[in-house]
Amino acid sequence: MTVIATIALLMPGTALASNHKKHHEVKPKHRIEHKMHVAHRPVIGTRFSHRPVNGKFIIVNRERMWTADGVLYRMIVTRTGTVFVVAGYLK
């Protein structure tokens, strides 16, 4: 029994697996990593997978929308995440 335990500890696959479990950490991503900068004025209907920076939420016709740099974005929640679609422009 002792011989089997010693062989198991000396095998590289077993040692790597046990070290991986001890040192594996999952850190949450910060919200700032999910924002993007839009350099030009996008066309209505353009989809973005990340929220544009320097904006805020506003209510337009009882719908919560994101606005950044004079552009209105409609938020659409999908299975894979939230998509921001250009819905219009602010004057």
Side-chain angles (χ1 to χ4, degrees), residues 1 8 29 38-39 62 80-81:
M1 187 65 135
K29 293 183 178 179
V38 178
R62 291 186 245 171
T80 58

Side-chain angles (χ1 to χ4, degrees), residues 9-54:
L9 287 175
L10 295 176
M11 292 181 71
T14 308
L16 289 175
S18 64
N19 285 340
H20 178 69
K21 288 180 183 177
K22 291 179 186 175
H23 299 291
H24 181 70
E25 295 179 10
V26 178
K27 295 181 181 179
K29 293 183 178 179
H30 297 286
R31 188 66 186 158
I32 193 74
E33 294 176 4
H34 295 285
K35 294 180 182 179
M36 59 165 259
H37 179 70
V38 178
H40 62 282
R41 191 169 187 152
V43 179
I44 293 178
T46 305
R47 294 176 156 219
F48 296 99
S49 59
H50 300 298
R51 184 170 68 192
V53 294
N54 302 328

